[in-house]
Amino acid sequence: MTTKIAKGVRVVGDAREELGSALAERYAGGESIRSIAADIGRSYGFVHGVLRQFKAPLRGRGGATRGSGAS
């Protein structure tokens, strides 16, 4: 678990580097962006932005697809 980060606090420098690698590791391990965001107390957009900044390969959206042929 990553510690909670107060809303409005800027995360820069070495702290952002550490956060980015920790979030990327959690996401690569299968955790969702939403669950990570809830755990650290920040928004989906914040977590998504950090993952993109650190070039973490993002998964496609889940859920049912149209025309999959399954009845």
Side-chain angles (χ1 to χ4, degrees), residues 7-31:
K7 290 184 182 178
V9 173
R10 297 192 66 148
V11 183
V12 296
D14 290 340
R16 194 167 183 95
E17 292 282 336
E18 290 175 21
L19 179 66
S21 62
L23 296 185
E25 185 177 317
R26 288 176 66 174
Y27 184 72
E31 199 169 343

Side-chain angles (χ1 to χ4, degrees), residues 2-71:
T2 308
T3 60
K4 293 218 183 258
I5 304 166
K7 290 184 182 178
V9 173
R10 297 192 66 148
V11 183
V12 296
D14 290 340
R16 194 167 183 95
E17 292 282 336
E18 290 175 21
L19 179 66
S21 62
L23 296 185
E25 185 177 317
R26 288 176 66 174
Y27 184 72
E31 199 169 343
S32 72
I33 294 175
R34 290 194 191 283
S35 67
I36 295 170
D39 187 43
I40 67 170
R42 293 302 289 255
S43 70
Y44 175 95
F46 175 83
V47 174
H48 186 268
V50 171
L51 290 173
R52 286 191 57 193
Q53 178 184 354
F54 288 89
K55 301 189 181 359
L58 300 177
R59 299 186 291 270
R61 292 176 58 126
T65 58
R66 294 184 211 174
S68 64
S71 295

